[in-house]
Amino acid sequence: MKKNRKIPTSKLLGDRAEELFEAARRVSEMAYCPYSHFHVGAAVLTSDGGIFAAPNIENASYSVTICAERNAAAQAVAAGQKSIVAIALYTRTATPSTPCGACRQFLSEFNPRMEVHCISDRDEVLRFTLDELLPNAFVISL
């Protein structure tokens, strides 16, 4: 991500956008990805204004790899925050990447209408609501 660039964002993020995006970019440097070399960082913004960031963590047994998105959301939940209003996903790629299907389902548990901001090393920003990325998410009605 270029230094000192201004990324236009939603009204929801307002002046917190750069902070959220920078947290995702910065934490991607901590990624443990010896197999794919695909560094990912995610940062979530909770309804009380907290930001929780985490990288992806791979494993030789790919099915137990932890995606950055789920890791960041888990950090928020571990801190007692279960209402996530936005997530920034940073990848070291030419074009932004979107969350995988498992992450989309995982995140929908905490707010199916959260904003999803996908960023990379270029100026393009992809913006969605989670329910746009995962229509008809699996839910259990109790």
Side-chain angles (χ1 to χ4, degrees):
M1 199 155 86
K2 296 176 187 173
K3 295 260 185 202
N4 300 321
R5 74 173 175 168
K6 189 72 175 165
I7 301 172
T9 61
S10 71
K11 290 179 183 176
L12 174 69
L13 291 183
D15 60 358
R16 301 294 308 274
E18 290 296 329
E19 183 181 359
L20 188 68
F21 294 173
E22 180 59 21
R25 187 206 61 75
R26 193 173 48 252
V27 79
S28 75
E29 296 170 8
M30 303 302 293
Y32 177 74
C33 51
Y35 309 105
S36 71
H37 306 288
F38 188 63
H39 289 252
V40 182
V44 298
L45 176 67
T46 59
S47 60
D48 75 343
I51 292 178
F52 298 86
N56 58 317
I57 303 171
E58 293 182 348
N59 188 279
S61 175
Y62 281 114
S63 66
V64 296
T65 290
I66 303 169
C67 295
E69 302 93 304
R70 285 182 278 149
N71 198 1
Q75 298 292 320
V77 172
Q81 302 300 314
K82 296 182 184 97
S83 178
I84 299 172
V85 296
I87 184 167
L89 175 64
Y90 168 81
T91 53
R92 291 183 183 177
T93 53
T95 58
S97 299
T98 59
C100 72
C103 287
R104 294 173 190 197
Q105 178 62 45
F106 185 89
L107 292 169
S108 73
E109 191 82 10
F110 304 102
N111 180 358
R113 289 171 298 285
M114 79 174 64
E115 289 188 0
V116 179
H117 301 262
C118 306
I119 57 177
S120 66
D121 288 329
R122 302 272 169 91
D123 288 334
E124 180 182 12
V125 178
L126 301 178
R127 277 185 211 83
F128 308 93
T129 59
L130 189 56
D131 54 6
E132 288 175 317
L133 289 173
L134 184 67
N136 303 310
F138 176 79
V139 294
I140 295 177
S141 299
L142 301 176

